[in-house]
């Protein structure tokens, strides 16, 4: 696929794309996915709203602050001038963003993109040792950083990172420099396939991978999942927990609302409490978070707490039927589940409204196709189980990484998940390929056992992994966070085991149960089953 002429002066990201034959096949079947050659997604998300007369409407709420579309646009333009005039950056340079979800972080993201830079947003909780490989891999020379988080970035002491500009503190440099800039900035006329962002994936272990996404990919997530499944209306107010560095958050809180002229309420505090406050204060209609977070607030919900909310979206991990049902009973709202991936930028299988089948992820989002591959990489016909593969307008392009060949097989993006497809074409999550447990000759999907356990009122959270076992090869072992820690004990173990045996095939029941007060999680909220698995391996080795 020939690329259009680039507006980048610094061609590093394009030079490090995978070779054309290693790309996934791309599809732009829907008319809304045919973008003009020259496309700057910051212009499409922001300047277009001003042209449409949205200037006085709210774009961002945060605590007492309200930023209108006009105010956001002026701030973005000023920051864009700081990047080019004060920091001496040129189109194509990578800019690291480090901050929590604040209006200034959002303005910085849009400013970098408008000025033709390549954004590398990072998780606010990353430590120096985690920032260092990112800076090296993406050859990052400049950073915009929330003042309170700068120590760790400085501690990374990355030789190539020569300029750090702070914002969001008392008398910080970025606000000072921005105030002295003109109100308007002329956007760099990037091509639709110029690189817009590098999204680093947490992965499980190993060297982080950088997913390359173009300006049109940001538009495509809006014009597939958001346009066809979410169907935002002007007046909708979005909120949620995922950071901007996680493409789930980038879509949910920045791209989707701004594409459709809605507003985002940024929670001031972390976790469910922050979301609850935003909901109350700003009349939120649409919430994005993880299954874990939905479960965490279930016990605390009072009727009416979700007043104005009409849509709840869950992604990042499978949404068990038990969680979906409990949420529906408590709120009357059916959660929209959707599987997305950093490689695909956002959600590609989902369902909303009457199309939801609780427990299933859904069907391919308009613009995407999905299939299941068998062991020989052949598509499974009709109902069946296999490795999930997808293609559509977006897809996997790792920056200079041999693992490209593992994710892209015969033009399909292979996510590493095992799925089942039913007669009606609905996709049901089975397990991550690494979370299949082979015990006594049986293939057992850890998540299926977890879902059975989660239906028990005493189970707040759980993770099921294979533990080495002399007799069965692997033993199904459950780590359980009990709702009432004082009940943890042999009687509850027995009760949970019997409970599982009564719900799914008895050979799948957890032969070992360990109570714990928390599960290991990634910064994107996923349970790190591999940590538990490793712990069990080490225990077995020293036993
Ligand atoms: C798993 C799910 C079952 C699945 C993401 C929405 O999670 C996101 O991206 P990541 O790169 O992880 C991708 C992997 O996470 N997963 C995600 N959603 C679901 N499994 N049901 C789900 N609903 O293993 C997938 O391969 O961190 C999610 C939007 C953008 C994203 N980046």
């Amino acid at each position: 696929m020939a690329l259009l002429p680039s507006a980048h002066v610094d061609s590093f990201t394009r030079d490090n794309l995978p070779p054309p034959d290693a790309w996934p096949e791309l599809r732009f079947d829907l008319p809304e996915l045919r973008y003009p050659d020259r496309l700057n997604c910051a212009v499409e998300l922001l300047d277009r709203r001003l042209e449409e007369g949205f200037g006085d409407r709210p774009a961002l709420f945060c605590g007492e602050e309200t930023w209108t579309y006009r105010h956001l646009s002026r701030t973005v333009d000023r920051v864009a001038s700081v990047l080019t005039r004060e920091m001496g950056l040129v189109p194509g340079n990578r800019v690291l963003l480090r901050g929590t979800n604040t209006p200034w972080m959002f303005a910085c993201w849009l400013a970098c993109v408008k000025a033709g830079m390549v954004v590398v947003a990072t998780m606010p909780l990353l430590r120096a040792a985690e920032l260092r490989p990112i800076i090296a891999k993406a050859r990052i020379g400049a950073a915009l950083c929330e003042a309170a988080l700068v120590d760790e970035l400085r501690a990374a002491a990355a030789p190539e990172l020569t300029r750090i500009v702070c914002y969001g503190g008392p008398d910080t440099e970025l606000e000072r420099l921005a105030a002295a800039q003109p109100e308007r900035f002329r956007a760099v006329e990037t091509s639709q396939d110029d690189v817009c962002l590098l999204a680093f994936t947490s992965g499980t272990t190993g060297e982080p991978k950088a997913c390359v996404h173009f300006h049109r990919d940001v538009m495509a997530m809006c014009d597939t999942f958001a346009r066809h499944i979410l169907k935002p209306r002007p007046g909708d107010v979005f909120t949620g927990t995922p950071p901007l560095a996680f493409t789930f958050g980038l879509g949910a809180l920045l791209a989707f609302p701004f594409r459709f002229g809605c507003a985002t309420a940024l929670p001031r505090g972390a976790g469910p409490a922050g979301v609850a406050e935003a909901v109350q204060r700003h009349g939120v209609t649409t919430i994005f978070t993880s299954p874990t977070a939905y479960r965490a607030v279930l016990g605390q919900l009072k009727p009416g707490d979700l007043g104005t909310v009409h849509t709840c979206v869950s992604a990042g991990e499978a949404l068990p039927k038990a969680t979906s049902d409990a949420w529906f009973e408590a709120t009357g709202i059916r959660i929209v589940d959707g599987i997305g991936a950093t490689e695909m930028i956002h959600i590609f299988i989902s369902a909303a409204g009457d199309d939801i089948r609780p427990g299933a992820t859904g069907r391919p989002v308009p613009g995407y196709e999905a299939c299941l591959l068998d062991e020989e990489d052949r598509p499974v016909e009709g109902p069946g189980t296999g490795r999930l593969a997808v293609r559509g307008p977006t897809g996997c392009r790792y920056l200079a990484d041999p693992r490209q060949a593992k994710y892209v097989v015969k033009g399909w993006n292979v996510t590493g998940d095992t799925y089942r497809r039913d007669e009606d074409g609905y996709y049901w999550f089975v397990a991550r390929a690494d979370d299949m447990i082979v015990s006594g000759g049986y293939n057992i999907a850890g998540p299926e056992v977890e879902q059975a356990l989660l239906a028990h009122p005493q189970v707040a959270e759980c993770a099921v992994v294979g533990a080495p076992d002399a007799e069965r090869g692997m033993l199904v072992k459950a780590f359980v966070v009990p709702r009432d820690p004082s009940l943890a004990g042999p009687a509850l173990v027995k009760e949970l085991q019997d409970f599982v045996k009564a719900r799914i095939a008895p050979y799948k029941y957890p032969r070992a149960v360990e109570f714990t007060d928390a599960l290991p999680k990634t910064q994107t909220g996923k349970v790190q089953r591999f940590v538990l698995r490793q712990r069990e391996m080490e225990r077995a080795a020293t036993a």
Side-chain angles (χ1 to χ4, degrees):
M1 176 178 225
L3 291 169
L4 295 163
S6 172
H8 286 179
V9 176
D10 170 352
S11 61
F12 171 78
T13 49
R14 220 180 228 202
D15 295 345
N16 284 284
L17 282 170
D21 60 350
W23 284 36
E25 229 174 86
L26 298 174
R27 304 263 159 144
F28 305 95
D29 300 334
L30 304 175
E32 55 270 40
L33 296 174
R34 300 199 190 110
Y35 302 107
D37 287 357
R38 296 283 127 190
L39 181 83
N40 183 315
C41 72
V43 172
E44 299 303 318
L45 296 174
L46 198 52
D47 300 20
R48 296 278 178 260
R49 298 298 83 73
L50 292 196
E51 289 166 21
E52 290 162 5
F54 281 58
D56 294 320
R57 299 223 204 161
L60 291 168
F61 296 110
C62 187
E64 265 98 69
E65 275 181 74
T66 299
W67 287 36
T68 61
Y69 271 96
R70 182 171 298 100
H71 180 71
L72 176 60
S73 161
R74 298 289 184 257
T75 310
V76 165
D77 282 16
R78 289 191 155 114
V79 173
S81 285
V82 172
L83 295 167
T84 54
R85 293 158 54 140
E86 305 287 338
M87 297 171 72
L89 299 174
V90 297
N93 284 166
R94 277 74 56 216
V95 180
L96 183 143
L97 295 189
R98 176 170 166 83
T100 52
N101 285 353
T102 60
W104 271 88
M105 172 81 165
F106 278 47
C108 289
W109 192 96
L110 288 159
C112 290
V113 172
K114 190 163 182 179
M117 314 298 166
V118 175
V119 182
V120 187
T122 55
M123 300 289 181
L125 293 174
L126 290 189
R127 296 288 188 178
E130 297 158 306
L131 289 163
R132 217 172 289 127
I134 292 176
I135 296 165
K137 172 116 207 179
R139 303 259 182 88
I140 302 176
L144 302 177
C145 183
E146 186 176 318
L149 299 173
V150 77
D151 290 350
E152 207 69 40
L153 183 58
R154 291 202 203 285
E160 51 278 84
L161 183 60
T162 51
R163 185 80 162 98
I164 300 175
V165 173
C166 284
Y167 65 87
D171 189 34
T172 28
E173 189 180 8
L174 184 59
E175 290 91 328
R176 207 158 6 92
L177 292 173
Q181 306 301 319
E183 262 200 351
R184 306 312 292 263
F185 176 89
R186 225 184 115 83
V188 170
E189 290 183 19
T190 45
S191 72
Q192 57 153 287
D193 55 14
D194 265 327
V195 176
C196 173
L197 64 113
L198 300 179
F200 279 83
T201 93
S202 46
T204 40
T205 43
E207 195 207 329
K209 292 174 273 196
C211 300
V212 182
H213 292 298
F214 300 157
H215 283 261
R216 69 153 183 257
D217 297 326
V218 175
M219 302 310 293
M221 68 170 149
C222 302
D223 294 329
T224 52
F225 172 72
R227 185 179 293 279
H228 292 277
I229 306 292
L230 214 54
K231 302 189 170 106
R233 289 163 276 186
D236 276 349
V237 180
F238 290 32
T239 196
T241 55
L244 211 52
F246 186 20
T247 58
F248 180 33
L250 174 65
L253 304 178
L254 191 155
F256 299 168
F258 297 168
R259 175 74 168 150
F260 298 101
C262 308
T264 285
L266 296 171
R268 275 188 312 178
V275 171
E277 200 224 29
V279 167
Q280 293 298 316
R281 196 192 272 262
H282 305 294
V284 163
T285 59
T286 310
I287 297 177
F288 294 81
T289 192
S290 64
T292 311
Y294 285 113
R295 276 193 293 277
V297 296
L298 261 174
Q300 307 156 24
L301 273 182
K302 295 185 297 298
D305 276 1
L306 288 185
T308 45
V309 176
H310 57 61
T311 302
C312 297
V313 181
S314 169
E317 282 197 301
L319 178 72
K321 184 172 185 301
T323 308
S324 175
D325 287 347
W327 190 261
F328 182 71
E329 271 152 40
T331 67
I333 298 170
R334 245 326 148 191
I335 297 174
V336 174
D337 189 7
I339 177 172
T342 309
E343 287 81 355
M344 301 302 296
I345 203 166
H346 219 274
I347 291 172
F348 47 85
I349 293 180
S350 183
D354 293 341
D355 292 335
I356 296 174
R357 299 224 172 145
T361 311
R363 289 184 291 193
V365 166
Y368 289 91
E369 285 178 83
C371 80
L372 300 173
L373 299 177
D374 67 15
E375 284 89 62
E376 273 90 52
D377 295 337
R378 288 174 313 213
V380 173
E381 299 292 331
T385 301
R387 285 142 62 227
L388 181 65
V390 288
R391 61 188 182 196
T394 63
C396 175
R397 284 174 300 250
Y398 291 133
L399 188 79
D401 202 312
R403 289 169 287 187
Q404 176 76 14
K406 208 179 158 228
Y407 204 93
V408 177
V409 177
K410 293 184 174 170
W412 291 91
N413 299 275
V414 178
T415 65
D417 301 287
T418 300
Y419 260 80
R420 177 172 69 78
R421 185 175 53 218
D422 68 17
E423 316 59 54
D424 303 323
Y426 275 77
Y427 284 78
W428 300 73
F429 176 77
V430 177
R432 289 281 312 166
D434 356 319
D435 292 330
M436 291 296 296
I437 304 163
V438 184
S439 178
Y442 287 111
N443 259 324
I444 300 165
E448 188 188 358
V449 185
E450 290 167 9
Q451 287 172 30
L453 281 164
L454 279 170
H456 190 283
Q458 261 310 311
V459 178
E461 285 292 319
C462 68
V464 170
V465 299
D469 180 68
E471 197 189 323
R472 330 193 124 253
M474 287 285 186
L475 199 70
V476 178
K477 171 151 189 185
F479 290 84
V480 172
V481 180
R483 283 212 189 271
D484 177 356
S486 73
L487 291 180
L492 185 55
V493 170
K494 175 84 175 45
E495 189 178 322
L496 292 175
Q497 290 174 327
D498 290 342
F499 185 79
V500 172
K501 282 187 201 166
R503 305 196 128 229
I504 55 179
Y507 67 85
K508 297 176 181 170
Y509 87 93
R511 285 170 195 268
V513 176
E514 181 175 326
F515 294 107
T516 173
D517 38 357
L519 299 174
K521 297 257 173 73
T522 64
Q523 302 204 345
T524 54
K526 290 192 219 301
V527 176
Q528 292 171 305
R529 294 182 187 80
F530 76 95
V531 171
L532 299 171
R533 236 180 342 253
Q534 270 167 9
R535 212 180 278 167
E536 290 305 310
M537 306 266 253
E538 282 155 22
R539 274 190 200 165
T542 56

